[in-house]
Amino acid sequence: TGLYAAIDGNLVTTSSGGTDIGSGINVGYGEVSGIRHDVSKTKVMIILSDGLPTVPSNSSSTVLAASDSAKQNGTSLYFLHFGSGSGNDLSAKIASGTTTVPGHQNGSKNNAGTANGNVSQANADKENNDGDNFFISPTFDQLEAIFQQVGTAVCPAAGAASVPPPT
């Protein structure tokens, strides 16, 4: 349908192999705060990444500054850490923050739990049910349930809605 065609038409089909999480957060914040933002709606960003900023100019401190700024300006950030490798500590901080932000978790519930940089399924399950904005999906199999959980948190009516398959 029209929605899927619009999404397909806007997909970037090339990749440079870099992850610039901080710039992504800044662009996302600009979008949820820009002229198209409906002030009656909640500002929400959902980030899916392995949590490893690889663009040289994009240090962890730059990423955290961007996420804290967005949260301090009223945006709820949800971080879905994809993969079983390292990077989940930064991912958790992006979701929960490095500074106390009213209305947001401050890292106290994050249970990423790694062993040699790998996330166990048991720890991922624990993390995904602790009530904060940080989620872990070690494999593709968990993503649908996590997106459903985040969707219901962001928009409770979404829990009852069914999403049509792409055509």
Side-chain angles (χ1 to χ4, degrees):
T1 63
L3 174 62
Y4 291 109
I7 292 170
D8 288 342
N10 286 303
L11 291 177
V12 176
T13 57
T14 61
S15 173
S16 65
T19 303
D20 191 348
I21 299 171
S23 290
I25 292 170
N26 288 332
V27 169
Y29 176 71
E31 189 64 30
V32 299
S33 299
I35 59 172
R36 291 187 293 265
H37 174 65
D38 180 343
V39 295
S40 69
K41 307 294 182 199
T42 303
K43 297 177 190 177
V44 175
M45 283 194 291
I46 301 170
I47 304 161
L48 173 66
S49 175
D50 63 3
L52 298 172
T54 57
V55 175
S57 63
N58 197 6
S59 70
S60 296
S61 61
T62 301
V63 172
L64 293 174
S67 66
D68 285 346
S69 177
K71 288 180 284 193
Q72 289 167 345
N73 286 291
T75 303
S76 293
L77 296 182
Y78 288 81
F79 199 105
L80 286 60
H81 177 88
F82 182 71
S84 60
S86 60
N88 56 339
D89 291 335
L90 178 60
S91 302
K93 288 177 182 174
I94 291 168
S96 62
T98 57
T99 62
T100 302
V101 179
H104 295 279
Q105 296 296 330
N106 193 24
S108 60
K109 292 186 177 183
N110 293 318
N111 299 303
T114 61
N116 299 320
N118 292 317
V119 177
S120 71
Q121 185 59 54
N123 283 330
D125 290 341
K126 183 178 178 183
E127 176 53 51
N128 296 342
N129 293 295
D130 67 1
D132 63 8
N133 292 5
F134 174 57
F135 300 84
I136 299 173
S137 181
T139 67
F140 180 77
D141 297 334
Q142 294 85 23
L143 278 178
E144 183 177 354
I146 292 170
F147 273 113
Q148 184 69 32
Q149 189 174 354
V150 171
T152 301
V154 170
C155 179
S162 63
V163 178
T167 56

